[in-house]
Amino acid sequence: AASASYIAVPAAMRLAAPVWQSIETAPKDGTVILLGFITLPVERLVYEGRWNDVQDTWTTVNGFGLLTGATHWTPLPTPPQV
């Protein structure tokens, strides 16, 4: 029997999981993406952002926050249907 803290993830949800790619392959055309940061072996952060040509770095969508040190990226998921 599984422990009480184990939750099985249905196969359909696993298939919909994002595929993370190396930051070197990320689009630098202003497309909004999810940026992944691995700061410690156990700490992983995800921010929504885009490449900012003027600042020559990744920034938050509004351009005010710098997001340096991204290691991975993935496209935004499809928004929910209304």
Side-chain angles (χ1 to χ4, degrees):
S3 70
S5 63
Y6 175 78
I7 299 173
V9 177
M13 289 179 72
R14 287 194 304 269
L15 293 175
V19 175
W20 290 93
Q21 301 173 55
S22 173
I23 195 64
E24 289 80 17
T25 66
K28 291 187 173 180
D29 60 0
T31 301
V32 176
I33 58 176
L34 294 179
L35 295 164
F37 299 79
I38 300 175
T39 58
L40 296 172
V42 295
E43 185 174 52
R44 292 169 180 87
L45 305 172
V46 175
Y47 292 96
E48 185 180 59
R50 68 174 82 197
W51 181 256
N52 185 310
D53 281 331
V54 173
Q55 296 182 11
D56 196 34
T57 191
W58 298 102
T59 65
T60 55
V61 175
N62 63 16
F64 294 123
L66 300 181
L67 299 173
T68 57
T71 57
H72 294 80
W73 78 280
T74 194
L76 290 176
T78 304
Q81 297 293 320
V82 182

